[in-house]
Amino acid sequence: MSISSQEICILRKDKNLALLQTNGMPGNKYNCSPGTPRTRLERLLRERELRKFNKSLNEGETESSTNDPSSPDAETSTWFNDEESLETVSAGRVSLDGSKQRLLVVANRLPVSAVRRGEDSWQLEMSVGGLVTALLGVKEFETRWIGWAGVNVPDEIGQKALTKALAEKRCIPVFLDEEIVHQYYNGYCNNILWPLFHYLGLPQEDRLATTRSFQSQLDAYKKANQMFADVVNEHYEEGDVVWCHDYHLMFLPKCLKERNNKMKVGWFLHTPFPSSEIHRTLPSRSELLRSVLAADLVGFHTYDYARHFVSACTRILGLEGTPEGVEDQGKLTRVAAFPIGIDSDRFIRALELPQVQDHMKELKERFAGRKVMLGVDRLDMIKGIPQKILAFEKFLEENPNWRDKVVLLQIAVPTRTDVPEYQKLTSQVHEIVGRINGRFGTLTAVPIHHLDRSLDFPALCALYAVTDVALVTSSRDGMNLVSYEFVACQASKKGVLILSEFAGAAQSLGAGAILVNPWNITEVASSIGYALNMPADEREKRHHHNFMHVTTHTSQEWAATFVSELNDTIVEAQLRLRQIPPILPIEVAVDRYSKSNNRLLILGLNATLTEPVDTLGRKANQIKELELKLHPDLQEPLKKLCDDPKTTIVVLSGSDRSVLDDNFGDYNLWLAAENGMFLRVTGGEWMTTMPENLNMDWVDSVKVHTLVRLSLV
Ligand SMILES: O=P(O)(O)OC[C@H]1O[C@H](O[C@H]2O[C@H](CO)[C@@H](O)[C@H](O)[C@H]2O)[C@H](O)[C@@H](O)[C@@H]1O
Ligand SMILES: O=c1ccn([C@@H]2O[C@H](COP(=O)(O)OP(=O)(O)O)[C@@H](O)[C@H]2O)c(=O)[nH]1
């Protein structure tokens, strides 16, 4: 076969019908415009260059400000009650052209909770939580927070006054009434999605999509997400980056993009994303995935969570997963891992504060002669508090010599107290603690100090610093910032971290921590013994490893990376759009076709020559492969084309040779199977297009691994 004409037609459903001219290709306009950006794409590219430049500049600055004890950031005396802290968070950096990029952080909760003091007066208090802590370290953008203030404000006077008070903190409220909060937050978020994403399954009564409570909770969830979207739309300015957070707001990307497709939207999940086998039990599984996919960039704490998400999209929606993310009809949603960190400097500096030093002194005196073990968790079933306490009991049982030499301090911060499961957990934990203290306590000391409350920042830092062994036993945890904070405060003591392998933090702190399966009480108990007896040099090595990680992978870096990835994703999408061949000018093509004496038509198979296959909810590749049949209406026209001596037809497909043999054996054309790896003219033998001396031994080993991985998913 020879190609003498300059006109080649490639017909594939997914690539449009394109007439590619091999001469006279248009020049690459976007890399040769040093002047004022004329198009949106040019502007985005210029912005990207600026970002890179600023980043290197800022890195220099950060280094010098960290080393400078007189830096205004150098001291934070209290836990969030520093009046300036929100301002610092929100202030952002001035870039070279004088403008700061605005970042709209949209999360269920604002970083403040509001307490009403009068008809039009409000007191604002910082709230406790992982996301809040992480974003407190973000200083690079001009940040606005949009979220729920955690309080029902039914009257207009109250709403106005609260909006005004929050505006001073650069926060914008979304007002949710009690019923919505009950159905959306307590119901769909915390009773359905939270347990499901942490592998606790769906509540029994909600197994069927038809149950009333499930449906009304889902409706409230969608409604609440739309309310968040309305507030975002009200405050959005062109060029803003909108960063949506967490499982509370899975519908938000779709709501935002429906209204404004140009908005830069990122979505980040703070919890695990479970295996697709778990996600597929959710009645609204497809709707939720599709809504999240409307975002430009989707982020997770770990590579595993990202992989599960992509698998869910391929298996449940039948979409294509690529190393970059998920593709749907040419639109790519980037999916990647962005492990969160903490503002480690803030913890390290805090240890020098007199208030913290006083606390440390008190604690050391109080627990003199005993090793201190510490647990800090919200009182949530995912944190594995009962397992932790039972393991501690087993350790005491098996090691009588340690009974008066060790104490476990468990801080259990009350959370979601309106949800019955959380109330049940509280009683269960109290009962176990009471039993163990009764069993091993003396008149003067008890082995477990259990606190149902949160601590302020100085007290928490002091506690981290005096601890010998920290115990994190989550059955699942998106990341677990407590483990990071503990490490940051251990520069002197070099205590040991026992960490659940099911916490996202295990991926980053695994080498320095003792990893445990929290369900294996015996293993946790023996790890406690190992940690308490660990020699100083081993503690030092392990601590060093974790400390290096915690101090170099900070929350600031996390947020900056996510936002710059989001900006770049938009630029790349624009570039990709440019690469999509233009729509075929039909009249020109027909004219040239009829005048040409030597034509080559390359036709795709799947969905070009075959009937479209419905893959929704089924394993796409298997089904397509089984049902790939030349569309009956195309048999006759294809035959005519093949019999035309001026035209050469190639059917190019990703499918196996057998699929092409079965469908086109009787036509006079060329077949290219497995994306061109094999080629034959019908009537001839298959030949491989690979060079003869190419070593392909590796293929079999990859096949084996691929199979193993697929069976694990
Ligand atoms: O506001 P609450 O309902 O009381 O819950 C507090 C937060 O809990 C969850 O935190 C997660 O984010 C952390 C930081 O990324 C991560 O380390 C942890 O493993 C997660 O559980 C929740 O996702 C947040 O939305 C809540 O604000
Ligand atoms: O008395 C307390 C206990 C905990 N925390 C903070 O709560 C966060 C818990 O985050 P983590 O990622 O460990 O779990 P989450 O509660 O977000 O699931 C950490 O930043 C802790 O410093 C706090 O402020 N006061």
Side-chain angles (χ1 to χ4, degrees):
M1 181 181 67
S2 70
I3 304 170
S4 57
S5 159
Q6 288 188 323
E7 277 149 28
I8 307 170
C9 239
I10 303 180
L11 181 56
R12 291 195 56 160
K13 195 214 168 209
D14 53 342
K15 299 275 189 297
N16 293 335
L17 185 61
L19 182 69
L20 299 183
Q21 291 180 298
T22 50
N23 57 357
M25 287 283 277
N28 187 350
K29 287 186 196 145
Y30 42 78
N31 58 11
C32 56
S33 56
T36 318
R38 277 162 302 171
T39 64
R40 177 175 149 77
L41 178 58
E42 282 171 10
R43 185 166 51 76
L44 288 169
L45 283 164
R46 293 271 304 263
E47 281 173 15
R48 177 159 70 168
E49 288 312 307
L50 247 176
R51 270 197 305 280
K52 281 190 195 155
F53 183 71
N54 281 350
K55 191 163 183 261
S56 55
L57 211 72
N58 288 340
E59 270 161 10
E61 263 179 44
T62 312
E63 263 166 40
S64 53
S65 85
T66 312
N67 295 336
D68 176 7
S70 64
S71 132
D73 247 9
E75 292 219 332
T76 315
S77 57
T78 52
W79 180 237
F80 290 150
N81 66 4
D82 174 3
E83 266 302 302
E84 296 308 309
S85 61
L86 247 191
E87 260 61 47
T88 318
V89 172
S90 313
R93 271 170 200 264
V94 181
S95 63
L96 282 187
D97 64 356
S99 67
K100 292 178 243 170
Q101 182 162 35
R102 286 191 4 143
L103 173 64
L104 303 184
V105 173
V106 196
N108 172 60
R109 251 178 222 279
L110 285 174
V112 287
S113 55
V115 181
R116 198 163 190 166
R117 291 282 173 237
E119 199 185 14
D120 63 353
S121 99
W122 289 89
Q123 185 189 326
L124 302 181
E125 283 171 12
M126 296 301 300
S127 48
V128 171
L131 171 61
V132 172
T133 317
L135 285 169
L136 267 172
V138 179
K139 299 170 180 109
E140 313 232 340
F141 312 93
E142 191 188 306
T143 308
R144 303 272 185 287
W145 290 67
I146 296 178
W148 173 52
V151 63
N152 180 28
V153 194
D155 60 303
E156 208 175 310
I157 298 180
Q159 289 193 0
K160 271 195 181 153
L162 180 55
T163 306
K164 193 164 166 241
L166 286 170
E168 284 168 26
K169 306 282 179 197
R170 295 173 193 248
C171 289
I172 303 161
V174 177
F175 291 107
L176 304 173
D177 67 38
E178 261 175 7
E179 182 54 18
I180 284 265
V181 169
H182 182 60
Q183 299 263 2
Y184 143 79
Y185 180 65
N186 295 336
Y188 201 75
C189 292
N190 290 338
N191 201 32
I192 306 268
L193 291 181
W194 177 268
L196 188 78
F197 283 8
H198 290 89
Y199 290 78
L200 297 173
L202 293 171
Q204 291 295 323
E205 69 273 20
D206 292 314
R207 277 204 190 280
L208 298 173
T210 48
T211 57
R212 270 189 58 205
S213 64
F214 179 88
Q215 199 50 48
S216 62
Q217 287 175 0
L218 177 62
D219 292 344
Y221 182 81
K222 288 186 190 170
K223 189 171 167 195
N225 274 241
Q226 186 57 54
M227 291 165 83
F228 278 83
D230 292 344
V231 177
V232 174
N233 288 327
E234 211 178 295
H235 293 268
Y236 173 81
E237 290 172 13
E238 206 201 321
D240 287 357
V241 166
V242 183
W243 190 3
C244 314
H245 287 267
D246 237 350
Y247 61 99
H248 311 94
L249 299 176
M250 293 178 83
F251 271 106
L252 187 56
K254 181 163 171 273
C255 298
L256 295 173
K257 286 284 191 174
E258 271 173 1
R259 166 88 179 259
N260 179 356
N261 196 33
K262 292 216 170 91
M263 202 182 268
K264 297 178 192 176
V265 178
W267 182 79
F268 186 87
L269 184 66
H270 290 263
T271 69
F273 191 89
S275 144
S276 64
E277 285 303 307
I278 296 280
H279 182 77
R280 66 193 277 236
T281 60
L282 185 66
S284 48
R285 61 196 184 182
S286 305
E287 232 183 326
L288 280 182
L289 291 176
R290 285 208 180 275
S291 311
V292 168
L293 285 175
D296 300 292
L297 175 64
V298 172
F300 299 89
H301 282 313
T302 71
Y303 171 73
D304 281 344
Y305 305 159
R307 186 170 57 86
H308 288 154
F309 177 78
V310 173
S311 295
C313 294
T314 56
R315 286 160 179 234
I316 296 169
L317 302 179
L319 299 178
E320 192 179 341
T322 74
E324 293 280 282
V326 178
E327 238 184 90
D328 185 6
Q329 316 217 3
K331 193 240 171 210
L332 174 80
T333 305
R334 276 258 297 135
V335 179
F338 300 90
I340 203 170
I342 59 164
D343 184 357
S344 50
D345 281 347
R346 183 161 178 259
F347 284 85
I348 294 168
R349 284 197 309 259
L351 298 181
E352 303 304 321
L353 299 172
Q355 214 181 338
V356 177
Q357 293 279 330
D358 289 349
H359 275 301
M360 285 169 62
K361 193 163 166 276
E362 268 168 43
L363 287 165
K364 280 180 190 164
E365 281 166 12
R366 173 88 177 77
F367 298 113
R370 297 171 94 181
K371 292 270 185 191
V372 175
M373 296 187 53
L374 176 67
V376 177
D377 311 91
R378 277 181 305 106
L379 191 52
D380 193 306
M381 32 281 187
I382 66 146
K383 301 290 182 182
I385 298 172
Q387 286 89 333
K388 179 181 340 194
I389 300 172
L390 289 173
F392 185 61
E393 179 184 32
K394 190 162 176 59
F395 170 74
L396 294 179
E397 211 172 75
E398 291 172 353
N399 297 278
N401 53 324
W402 272 102
R403 285 181 196 164
D404 56 351
K405 295 193 187 73
V406 63
V407 60
L408 170 63
L409 311 180
Q410 175 63 49
I411 313 302
V413 181
T415 183
R416 304 172 195 176
T417 43
D418 295 339
V419 181
E421 272 74 11
Y422 287 76
Q423 295 160 2
K424 241 188 272 167
L425 178 69
T426 311
S427 326
Q428 190 196 1
V429 169
H430 287 176
E431 195 189 309
I432 307 175
V433 170
R435 182 171 57 71
I436 298 172
N437 278 345
R439 189 172 166 201
F440 296 111
T442 64
L443 277 178
T444 50
V446 287
I448 304 177
H449 287 241
H450 176 93
L451 266 65
D452 277 326
R453 45 165 287 209
S454 62
L455 297 182
D456 62 14
F457 184 57
L460 192 61
C461 291
L463 210 45
Y464 283 142
V466 301
T467 293
D468 295 282
V469 177
L471 251 179
V472 175
T473 51
S474 315
S475 55
R476 297 278 166 178
D477 215 334
M479 178 55 84
N480 191 280
L481 296 178
V482 162
S483 50
Y484 276 58
E485 293 166 5
F486 166 70
V487 170
C489 294
Q490 282 283 318
S492 309
K493 188 134 207 175
K494 298 177 175 58
V496 185
L497 173 64
I498 298 180
L499 176 61
S500 164
E501 63 187 69
F502 299 111
Q507 312 264 332
S508 41
L509 305 182
I514 300 181
L515 290 187
V516 291
N517 170 4
W519 297 101
N520 186 342
I521 305 283
T522 311
E523 185 196 3
V524 180
S526 68
S527 299
I528 293 174
Y530 186 75
L532 288 170
N533 291 305
M534 190 180 286
D537 58 339
E538 185 180 343
R539 281 196 283 117
E540 166 110 39
K541 265 189 216 143
R542 286 176 178 267
H543 167 76
H544 178 72
H545 186 282
N546 284 344
F547 191 76
M548 289 306 288
H549 183 90
V550 167
T551 49
T552 50
H553 296 76
T554 60
S555 52
Q556 295 94 320
E557 197 199 273
W558 165 73
T561 309
F562 186 92
V563 179
S564 90
E565 276 290 321
L566 177 53
N567 278 314
D568 287 352
T569 300
I570 309 279
V571 176
E572 278 149 23
Q574 297 280 322
L575 292 175
R576 225 185 344 265
L577 263 184
R578 287 243 170 153
Q579 284 160 7
I580 294 179
I583 303 281
L584 182 75
I586 301 226
E587 281 176 16
V588 178
V590 170
D591 181 50
R592 294 213 184 150
Y593 182 88
S594 45
K595 286 181 188 153
S596 167
N597 286 323
N598 191 4
R599 310 153 186 150
L600 172 65
L601 292 182
I602 303 172
L603 309 178
L605 171 64
N606 186 12
T608 302
L609 295 175
T610 64
E611 297 202 54
V613 176
D614 164 30
T615 59
L616 206 76
R618 294 186 283 173
K619 293 186 178 175
N621 290 340
Q622 286 178 7
I623 289 170
K624 276 186 190 163
E625 203 69 21
L626 285 176
E627 295 178 8
L628 280 181
K629 283 268 168 277
L630 173 63
H631 196 294
D633 293 352
L634 293 177
Q635 289 173 356
E636 198 46 43
L638 183 64
K639 181 144 186 13
K640 267 195 195 154
L641 276 177
C642 291
D643 292 344
D644 177 353
K646 290 183 188 169
T647 309
T648 304
I649 305 284
V650 180
V651 175
L652 170 65
S653 168
S655 301
D656 280 353
R657 284 166 281 181
S658 60
V659 176
L660 298 185
D661 286 340
D662 292 349
N663 279 293
F664 302 102
D666 298 336
Y667 294 80
N668 174 24
L669 44 62
W670 283 81
L671 298 174
E674 298 188 27
N675 293 313
M677 281 290 278
F678 297 98
L679 196 66
R680 84 168 172 115
V681 64
T682 46
E685 290 299 311
W686 281 107
M687 55 190 162
T688 173
T689 55
M690 275 189 302
E692 261 171 31
N693 54 359
L694 192 67
N695 183 346
M696 293 297 288
D697 293 351
W698 57 272
V699 171
D700 280 342
S701 66
V702 172
K703 270 187 190 158
V704 173
H705 288 306
T706 310
L707 282 175
V708 172
R709 285 193 75 80
L710 284 176
S711 62
L712 283 173
V713 180

